[in-house]
Amino acid sequence: MKSFNALTAVEQFSNYLREEIIRGSLTGAMPGVGKLAEMCGVSQKTVIGAVRQLEHDGLLESQGPGRRSQILLQENQIFATLRIQIFLYHKDDLKTDYMMDLLRSLQQADYSVKLAKKTLCELEMDPKRVARFVKMNDTDAWIVQAGSREVLEWFSSQALPAFALFGRRREISMPSCGPNKIPAQHAAIQRLIELGHRKIVCLARKERREPHPGLVEQAFLDQLKNSGIKIGTYNLPQWENNIEDFHHCIETLFKYTPPTALIVHTSNLFVAAQLHLARLGILAPEQISLICTDFEPIFDWCQPAVTHIRWRHNKMIDRIVQWAKNVSLGKDDYRKTFFKTEFVEGGSIGPVPRGR
């Protein structure tokens, strides 16, 4: 048997035993309760609970009190490795720490993992183009990063297993995970209001705004409105998902009614916005307050430190690996998981500049 780090949860230990059965490491009759407990470093109570779970799932057959359960899978039965493709939002997302960790974790779990040859941006987030691309690829399951509502709706309507990583997942009936940014965003906006800001703008990608604002973006608008700030397209401006239009949007914002605070989705957009403003002579926090709704380790090295929303990606990776295990075992898994976030105040925000 492969090495095992002692776990206490019955569900986690039963999943471990499932893997060993599928690998062929366990055949015939299950080892006795005492022996399994000693081998794996868990309590006998945990072993008993896990065995009962596997009996319920049909992988084991009880032989009666005091007798070892029988494994129902045959020794010579061959199990195909689950083939997973990851649909990246943009090719640059491969460079992120969490994506590299996800690929490594899935491979270590013995799944066949590869990146789709096209990204959602290259397919222009078009459901019809995505559908054609998916049907041309022979794979067992998909992980879709930052999908639009329409793209995720298409995946949810298919029999092919798919998992939504980020994106408009809250509104779609499919397994998913990602950070719950609303509480941390609320704290960030409240801090800006305390500092006197009224001209607050959020730069969010097109799929986060259309066909209507996502829950996070709507929560942003609602909080401004509830604070007595008149809201409109100024606060959540329209721009196409390309470099030229992003920078044109910034130019327009600061040409007519310059915001005093800018909230930017994703770290790459934040850096692009920060450099653009610097070229215009607009620096944080002297002339503008800047907040990023994501986190990059480099933020801690910046002077002033970047104000941002932080969340840990290790639990996200564990959740996706668990989903892949359930798919490989033929188990239904439609659970949505939201991870806690925190508002981290750095030096990139400050009081509203005089005269603004």
Side-chain angles (χ1 to χ4, degrees), residues 1 53 74 87 116 145 180 301 317:
M1 296 175 66
Q53 181 62 52
Q74 300 299 317
F87 234 142
Q145 181 202 24
N180 178 16
W301 287 82
I317 292 172

Side-chain angles (χ1 to χ4, degrees), residues 69-293:
S69 296
Q70 186 71 26
I71 297 172
L72 297 182
L73 301 179
Q74 300 299 317
E75 289 188 43
N76 60 353
Q77 191 169 351
I78 298 175
F79 297 89
T81 299
L82 184 70
R83 298 168 302 167
I84 302 172
Q85 283 202 54
I86 300 178
F87 234 142
L88 292 178
Y89 175 84
H90 189 275
K91 61 183 180 181
D92 289 344
D93 290 313
L94 178 59
K95 302 173 185 178
T96 60
D97 290 341
Y98 73 81
M99 188 56 68
M100 297 301 295
D101 288 345
L102 175 59
L103 286 167
R104 182 166 50 250
S105 296
L106 288 169
Q107 290 167 350
Q108 289 175 346
D110 292 334
Y111 301 118
S112 173
V113 187
K114 67 178 183 179
L115 300 175
K117 292 182 179 180
K118 294 283 187 179
T119 66
L120 292 176
C121 284
E122 288 173 323
L123 296 176
E124 298 180 339
M125 206 67 77
D126 184 337
K128 292 182 179 179
R129 295 182 64 183
V130 169
R132 288 195 295 269
F133 180 83
V134 169
K135 290 174 181 178
M136 291 172 56
N137 284 266
D138 186 20
T139 195
D140 301 316
W142 288 86
I143 296 171
V144 186
Q145 181 202 24
S148 67
R149 179 175 179 173
E150 293 81 4
V151 166
L152 295 182
E153 281 178 340
W154 181 84
F155 272 103
S156 69
S157 69
Q158 306 301 303
L160 190 65
F163 189 96
L165 172 60
F166 314 140
R168 296 292 289 267
R169 63 196 185 280
R170 292 173 182 258
E171 307 158 45
I172 310 300
S173 178
M174 66 185 294
S176 64
C177 74
N180 178 16
K181 296 183 179 180
I182 292 178
Q185 176 184 261
H186 186 279
I189 297 170
Q190 187 59 42
R191 181 60 180 141
L192 289 176
I193 293 173
E194 291 172 357
L195 291 168
H197 293 274
R198 309 285 291 180
K199 300 175 184 176
I200 305 173
V201 170
C202 177
L203 292 178
R205 294 187 185 275
K206 184 177 181 178
E207 59 274 2
R208 298 298 313 176
R209 308 185 311 264
E210 298 181 3
H212 54 76
L215 292 182
V216 175
E217 291 71 31
Q218 189 59 54
F220 161 73
L221 295 173
D222 290 344
Q223 187 175 358
L224 295 186
K225 183 177 180 180
N226 294 335
S227 300
I229 299 173
K230 185 178 180 180
I231 61 172
T233 55
Y234 168 80
N235 305 101
L236 194 64
Q238 302 292 311
W239 55 281
E240 295 298 321
N241 281 353
N242 60 65
I243 296 172
E244 294 76 16
D245 209 43
F246 175 72
H247 289 278
H248 176 71
C249 176
I250 295 176
E251 290 277 358
T252 303
L253 279 172
F254 285 85
K255 184 176 181 180
Y256 299 107
T257 310
T260 61
L262 202 58
I263 300 173
V264 187
H265 285 200
T266 75
S267 55
N268 58 336
L269 291 183
F270 179 88
V271 172
Q274 187 179 41
L275 291 176
H276 187 118
L277 293 174
R279 288 196 296 271
L280 297 176
I282 304 172
L283 302 178
E286 293 82 6
Q287 291 89 25
I288 185 77
S289 284
L290 296 176
I291 296 176
C292 183
T293 63

